[in-house]
Amino acid sequence: MILICALVASLWARDNAFASAITPKEGEHQQSSIHQEPLSSVEFVLPSTARILKSIQVTYQNLDGSIESKVIQLDESIDWHYPLLVAQRAQGAVYQGENRFKLGEFELIVNHNRIFIATRKKMLRDFVLPEPYRLMLDIEGTKDNFYEKVKIDKKYFTQAEISTHDGFYRISLEFDGRYKYRISPQRDGFSITLE
């Protein structure tokens, strides 16, 4: 019996016992990015038997990776001859005008989802406050009892404030929603990119 087990084991044994049994993938693994271009439109056709659109369910991924759904009840008649269109468009707010703002001794330059803060001073720390959602930046240096507020009114950024604390400036950047952010030091300041 032992002889039969040894014979069967030798038939299934690999030439090199230390070689991986898993075949590696060809090429590099590319991590999918959560940041993509915003949806413009998607068109789809229902079958010729469709007459009433009862509801639409939208499933989306949040910043933290969790998945949620929203159901919109419609009960509307449709003509199946025409495709349905799901589109995203700006309504109401029109963002235009100046992209440079002076905030105390700092200059803020807004470019789409990025804001550049021009300064030679060192950033001490950053943190987020939830209501309203805003990024707080503590920067070295100070003037006595200084406060200023600037309305930015751009997509992503609504306003900025600066105030003084014990030995440092505190800049508050208020966003129009919740975003992940990335701070990149630059030679003459730092850039904050929202995702």
Side-chain angles (χ1 to χ4, degrees):
M1 184 67 159
I2 296 175
L3 184 61
I4 293 173
C5 289
L7 181 61
V8 170
S10 67
L11 289 175
W12 281 332
R14 294 183 303 220
D15 290 337
N16 182 354
F18 298 106
S20 175
I22 300 171
T23 306
K25 269 187 161 180
E26 290 186 30
E28 240 179 73
H29 173 69
Q30 298 292 327
Q31 182 177 359
S32 62
S33 171
I34 194 166
H35 180 70
Q36 300 172 347
E37 288 300 313
L39 170 74
S40 58
S41 67
V42 174
E43 207 173 271
F44 58 97
V45 178
L46 293 176
S48 62
T49 56
R51 295 297 184 266
I52 297 175
L53 190 60
K54 301 297 282 178
S55 66
I56 295 177
Q57 179 175 336
V58 179
T59 304
Y60 55 93
Q61 182 175 352
N62 292 310
L63 281 174
D64 63 2
S66 63
I67 305 293
E68 292 186 35
S69 294
K70 181 175 183 174
V71 176
I72 299 112
Q73 297 298 326
L74 295 173
D75 284 322
E76 296 285 337
S77 294
I78 57 165
D79 184 344
W80 66 268
H81 294 95
Y82 302 110
L84 293 175
L85 178 71
V86 176
Q88 183 178 22
R89 60 186 168 123
Q91 285 188 340
V94 177
Y95 303 100
Q96 55 187 337
E98 186 59 44
N99 288 328
R100 291 177 174 264
F101 303 89
K102 190 80 170 143
L103 188 64
E105 63 182 74
F106 301 92
E107 183 178 17
L108 311 178
I109 302 165
V110 178
N111 184 7
H112 191 57
N113 65 330
R114 182 175 294 135
I115 189 165
F116 177 76
I117 300 177
T119 182
R120 298 256 184 213
K121 297 181 181 297
K122 179 182 172 189
M123 185 186 318
L124 304 173
R125 71 191 137 268
D126 62 275
F127 56 96
V128 171
L129 293 178
E131 293 295 327
Y133 198 78
R134 60 201 184 279
L135 175 63
M136 309 301 283
L137 306 167
D138 290 345
I139 300 172
E140 70 180 2
T142 185
K143 287 184 180 176
D144 290 332
N145 298 324
F146 181 74
Y147 174 82
E148 186 178 0
K149 184 182 212 177
V150 174
K151 187 173 178 125
I152 297 177
D153 199 26
K154 300 284 180 192
K155 185 177 180 182
Y156 302 104
F157 305 99
T158 58
Q159 68 181 14
E161 295 180 29
I162 187 169
S163 59
T164 54
H165 290 264
D166 189 24
F168 62 91
Y169 289 106
R170 175 161 289 163
I171 295 178
S172 168
L173 298 173
E174 189 174 317
F175 304 148
D176 66 355
R178 292 182 181 266
Y179 300 99
K180 289 183 179 179
Y181 67 92
R182 185 177 65 249
I183 299 175
S184 306
Q186 308 289 320
R187 187 176 55 110
D188 51 352
F190 45 92
S191 177
I192 300 158
T193 305
L194 303 183
E195 298 177 359

